[in-house]
Each structure stands twice: as structure tokens, then as C-alpha cells.
Amino acid sequence: MTYRLATRFARSAHQISGREALDNEALFRHVPSIFASEPHDSRSHRYVYVPTIDIVEQLRREGWFPFFAVQAVPRDGDRHGHAKHMLRMRRDDGIGKQEAAEVIIVNSHDGTSAYQMFAGMLRFVCTNSMIAGERFDEVRVSHKGGIEDGIIEGVHTVAKDFPRLIDAAEEMKETTLSRDEQKVLATASLIARYGEEKSPLRADQIVTPRRPEDVGQSLWTTFNVIQENLIRGGLPGRRQTADGQVRRSRTRPINGIDQNVGLNRALWTLAEEMQRLKSARTGAMPCRGLGPSVWLRV
């Protein structure tokens, strides 16, 4: 069994992914917090504890397997064994396909996260892992009451959205963007990434593909290129300091679980908004909820 440890996250998170489903030995080696035998000492008696590995085992029996796992490294070392973690679960039936739908599970055992479940998609050509946007349900289950059945039901709820998720991807593949439209989507994406701060990147940089397979002008390809460039970082950027000097550096990857989920969902929402606007051929529409309003003109 071959695993790939993403060392670029070594300072802020432990991460592992595999072409085959990850077994417990691999998960424990890199993401030990999912095996915590009890909640963190900071939790009260009202906190209902269900180890994430118990959920993983239940889902394995239903044909769902983890192919990716990441754990945050908290500043407080005492929380390391209970820290926030994320797993991407899918059925092992993606052979010969370009993409595979996934259920993303986020949890912690130190009170920093409820159980959260999202729909996502893996693109095999670049191992790009996307998370569906606001149009797709997020399921949250708090650590109280009888939660185990609620968590499994949440996974099933998310999986029911897979056909709609796949349809959305297919529609994006069939939508062609002009170069100007690609830059508009890139500009909106930079605002989603950097907010009010001046971006160290130009729009044309993040629509530049990293591999020949990503050359093209479909909305799906453009969205994937933007997502990979922003999530993985490593692009040459420049910022102007308060005294007018230009500082050059390479952009950082998105390490934090919350930031990864938030940006991924925002980028998917922007891509779907562009899809809707292209289909409707309306003049302009504000894209709110990502900091300042972003006007997409098509």
C-alpha cells in the first residue's frame, strides 16, 4: 500500500493521503487525534464523546473508506492528541473516472469543533480536493445527546447530494469562459482569499495552469486551476510595504482546516455563480458573503 505524506504541511498539520484506502496503522501514525480514548480534560461531563475512529469503522462497514486525513497542530501541545482533524471518505469505485464524490468529516475531541460533514469532490489528475459551496448542505452534529446515529445519518444526507454535485461539475465543464471572464473569476477568488488586504498576486497568475492537462477555457478547468493555485500556494507574489518598498515572496499554502474548508466552499460558490450568470446571460449580479461584495460581469 502506497501513501503520500504531504510534507509541505509539516509545520502546521499532519496529513496523509493514499491511492488506496488508508488503514488504521497509517491513520494512527499521522492523525492520532481520531483515536483519542477520551475527550480533552477541558470538556465537562455534559460533553458527549464519540471517537472519530468509531465513526470511520461504522462507515467502512457501509463501504466508505478514508483516502485522506489531516490533523491540526495546536499551539497548546496538551491538545495534540485531541486536536481538530478532517477526513475525506469515498467509496472505492473511482477506477477509470476523472473525479470522485466524497464526504468530508471534520471533528475534534477538545471542544474546538462539532462533527461537521460536507460534500466534496476529488479530481484525480491533480489530486485536487474540492468542497461544495453554499448551495449544498453542511451537516453539523454537536457533542451532546445521542449523536452517533446523527453523525451517520449526516453522512447519508451529504451523500444524497452527490448526483446534484456531479451535475454541477458537468455543467461547469460545458461552460466556456473568455479570457476576460477567467480573470473576473480570478479577481473574485483573490478577494475571497485575501479579503480587504491587497493581494500579492495578479489575476492572470492564478488562472495559469500547473500542468498540460489543465490548459483550457472551461469553467471547470478554470475553477480547478484557481483552487489549486490558491490552496497549494508557492506562487511568486509581491506586496508594497507602508514605506513604499516592494517585498517579494512566495505565497503560502492553506494549512488550517477551517481556512481550507472556508476558502474551498467560497471558491465553489463563486464558480457556480459564474455558471448561473453565464446561463442566464444577465448583466451583473453581486456575490455576497465573501467579505466585500464582488460583482461578476459576463
Side-chain angles (χ1 to χ4, degrees):
M1 192 173 296
T2 302
Y3 300 114
R4 178 170 56 82
L5 177 62
T7 55
R8 69 180 181 275
F9 289 113
R11 292 186 179 181
S12 59
H14 298 293
Q15 175 175 309
I16 184 172
S17 62
R19 292 186 178 275
E20 300 176 37
L22 304 172
D23 60 22
N24 283 0
E25 180 184 351
L27 290 172
F28 184 77
R29 191 182 311 126
H30 298 292
V31 193
S33 65
I34 73 172
F35 293 87
S37 59
E38 57 186 8
H40 188 263
D41 292 342
S42 63
R43 300 301 89 205
S44 73
H45 68 278
R46 295 187 299 274
Y47 182 91
V48 177
Y49 175 66
V50 175
T52 303
I53 191 58
D54 287 2
I55 301 300
V56 171
E57 295 291 11
Q58 285 196 53
L59 291 173
R60 278 177 173 146
R61 290 193 288 271
E62 296 187 17
W64 294 89
F65 302 94
F67 285 81
F68 169 96
V70 61
Q71 172 180 327
V73 179
R75 293 181 180 178
D76 181 357
D78 178 57
R79 293 178 178 265
H80 179 76
H82 302 82
K84 183 176 293 187
H85 42 268
M86 179 172 71
L87 297 102
R88 302 186 75 106
M89 312 282 294
R90 69 176 187 266
R91 297 188 183 277
D92 194 9
D93 60 357
I95 298 175
K97 297 181 180 179
Q98 293 181 317
E99 298 96 14
E102 299 178 313
V103 172
I104 295 99
I105 299 175
V106 177
N107 185 41
S108 78
H109 297 310
D110 63 357
T112 56
S113 177
Y115 270 97
Q116 301 173 70
M117 283 139 284
F118 308 90
M121 186 171 284
L122 174 73
R123 187 166 177 251
F124 288 106
V125 68
C126 56
T127 63
N128 232 22
S129 297
M130 294 157 282
I131 302 177
E134 296 174 358
R135 197 165 64 87
F136 295 84
D137 288 337
E138 169 195 357
V139 178
R140 298 176 66 92
V141 180
S142 299
H143 289 269
K144 58 185 179 182
I147 69 171
E148 197 157 352
D149 289 343
I151 297 166
I152 299 300
E153 182 181 342
V155 170
H156 294 160
T157 297
V158 168
K160 287 178 183 176
D161 247 351
F162 282 177
R164 195 159 60 94
L165 184 76
I166 294 168
D167 287 346
E170 292 302 317
E171 288 177 6
M172 291 186 202
K173 291 176 186 178
E174 295 172 2
T175 301
T176 301
L177 300 183
S178 67
R179 187 62 178 171
D180 286 342
E181 289 167 341
Q182 287 180 313
K183 288 184 178 180
V184 167
L185 183 59
T187 299
S189 300
L190 287 172
I191 294 176
R193 169 66 176 92
Y194 294 103
E196 296 286 357
E197 298 180 33
K198 183 173 177 58
S199 169
L201 300 172
R202 304 182 312 275
D204 63 285
Q205 285 180 278
I206 64 169
V207 293
T208 301
R210 299 188 180 211
R211 61 186 60 78
E213 295 89 341
D214 287 336
V215 174
Q217 290 186 260
S218 75
L219 174 55
W220 180 248
T221 299
T222 304
F223 162 47
N224 273 268
V225 169
I226 290 172
Q227 190 262 12
E228 183 176 13
N229 281 328
L230 291 181
I231 295 290
R232 295 192 177 184
L235 298 179
R238 50 183 291 169
R239 288 185 183 275
Q240 188 168 357
T241 62
D243 58 4
Q245 295 185 353
V246 175
R247 181 170 298 174
R248 291 179 171 82
S249 63
R250 292 203 168 262
T251 57
R252 296 179 180 179
I254 301 296
N255 294 337
I257 291 173
D258 289 343
Q259 192 178 15
N260 185 295
V261 171
L263 180 59
N264 252 305
R265 297 195 81 196
L267 295 178
W268 185 289
T269 298
L270 283 171
E272 282 204 314
E273 184 68 5
M274 176 64 87
Q275 167 68 43
R276 188 180 72 81
L277 293 173
K278 286 281 290 183
S279 298
R281 297 186 180 278
T282 56
M285 182 73 185
C287 227
R288 299 187 176 91
L290 306 176
S293 295
V294 181
W295 288 87
L296 303 180
R297 298 191 180 277
V298 295

